[in-house]
Amino acid sequence: TVLPAGGYQVFVEDAAKFATQFPNVVNYTGPLGFGLSGDGDVLRLYDAQGILQNSLCYDDAAPWDEDADGFGYTLENIDFEGTQNDAGNWLSGCLGGSPGTAYDPDCIEVATSEAEEMGIAVFPNPVNDVLNVHLNNPARLRLLDGLGRVVLSQWAQGAAELPMGRLAAGAYWLQVVDETGKGLHMPILLVKQ
């Protein structure tokens, strides 16, 4: 498969299943007859002359983001110029991923109801040390910095405390995504006193 500069290609194990789930994505190749291992694998990218240009050996355990290990999230590259085998250069993206396109950090399907109607309360905001999140239903909490990098991530139900004292002051985004993939994306301001 030859990719144009800046192009994207999806490689799928089951083409029929993929086409059903993502009917608008046409830039895919498959069926491959195999999938990428959930226990880590090696991917290599060669140029048109057959010279190795990029090699990635990923894993599904810390320090790699474990949300991409069968929980429906994909690994997303933060810096294509950075070290590709560094787990810190990858984050788990949105539920279902962004197949065939660039990663969109605002890809959560936002519910039309307000946070209160969904049983979500977040306080205080602005926050100094600990951000409190109260939930009626289990959800994935993710705090993203201004570059869209996940700096905190955890599953929660009921009351959760996100420790923010070690983070730099500034604007963050809190993603609250329930088990169906619906949720909220709200701004959080971290101030230092």
Side-chain angles (χ1 to χ4, degrees):
T1 300
V2 177
L3 298 177
Y8 293 86
Q9 187 71 20
V10 181
F11 297 91
V12 300
E13 178 179 9
D14 184 331
K17 184 176 179 181
F18 179 82
T20 299
Q21 187 171 359
F22 300 101
N24 296 327
V25 178
V26 296
N27 53 331
Y28 68 90
T29 300
L32 296 179
F34 65 91
L36 298 176
S37 173
D39 293 328
D41 222 326
V42 177
L43 302 172
R44 293 187 177 103
L45 181 66
Y46 295 87
D47 66 16
Q49 289 74 38
I51 299 171
L52 180 66
Q53 295 296 317
N54 199 340
S55 179
L56 167 66
C57 180
Y58 68 89
D59 202 349
D60 66 342
W64 289 84
D65 195 328
E66 297 176 26
D67 285 344
D69 184 23
F71 295 104
Y73 297 89
T74 56
L75 284 175
E76 299 287 347
N77 193 303
I78 296 170
D79 179 8
F80 289 104
E81 300 298 322
T83 303
Q84 299 308 297
N85 288 310
D86 178 4
N89 194 37
W90 294 82
L91 62 89
S92 62
C94 293
L95 191 64
S98 54
T101 63
Y103 171 60
D104 177 6
D106 193 27
C107 58
I108 294 175
E109 181 181 340
V110 178
T112 56
S113 61
E114 296 296 322
E116 295 82 21
E117 294 174 19
M118 294 179 64
I120 300 170
V122 178
F123 61 91
N125 190 13
V127 61
N128 178 313
D129 189 38
V130 176
L131 183 66
N132 296 288
V133 182
H134 288 202
L135 306 158
N136 286 347
N137 298 309
R140 164 62 72 189
L141 305 178
R142 288 183 172 165
L143 190 68
L144 289 83
D145 67 12
L147 297 175
R149 295 179 292 200
V150 177
V151 295
L152 294 172
S153 179
Q154 69 184 59
W155 279 98
Q157 181 174 5
E161 294 182 346
L162 298 180
M164 304 204 32
R166 297 175 129 181
L167 300 174
Y172 292 84
W173 288 97
L174 177 66
Q175 295 178 348
V176 182
V177 182
D178 68 17
E179 295 170 311
T180 68
K182 294 186 180 178
L184 299 172
H185 198 192
M186 60 187 74
I188 302 294
L189 181 61
L190 174 61
V191 295
K192 297 288 186 174
Q193 294 180 346

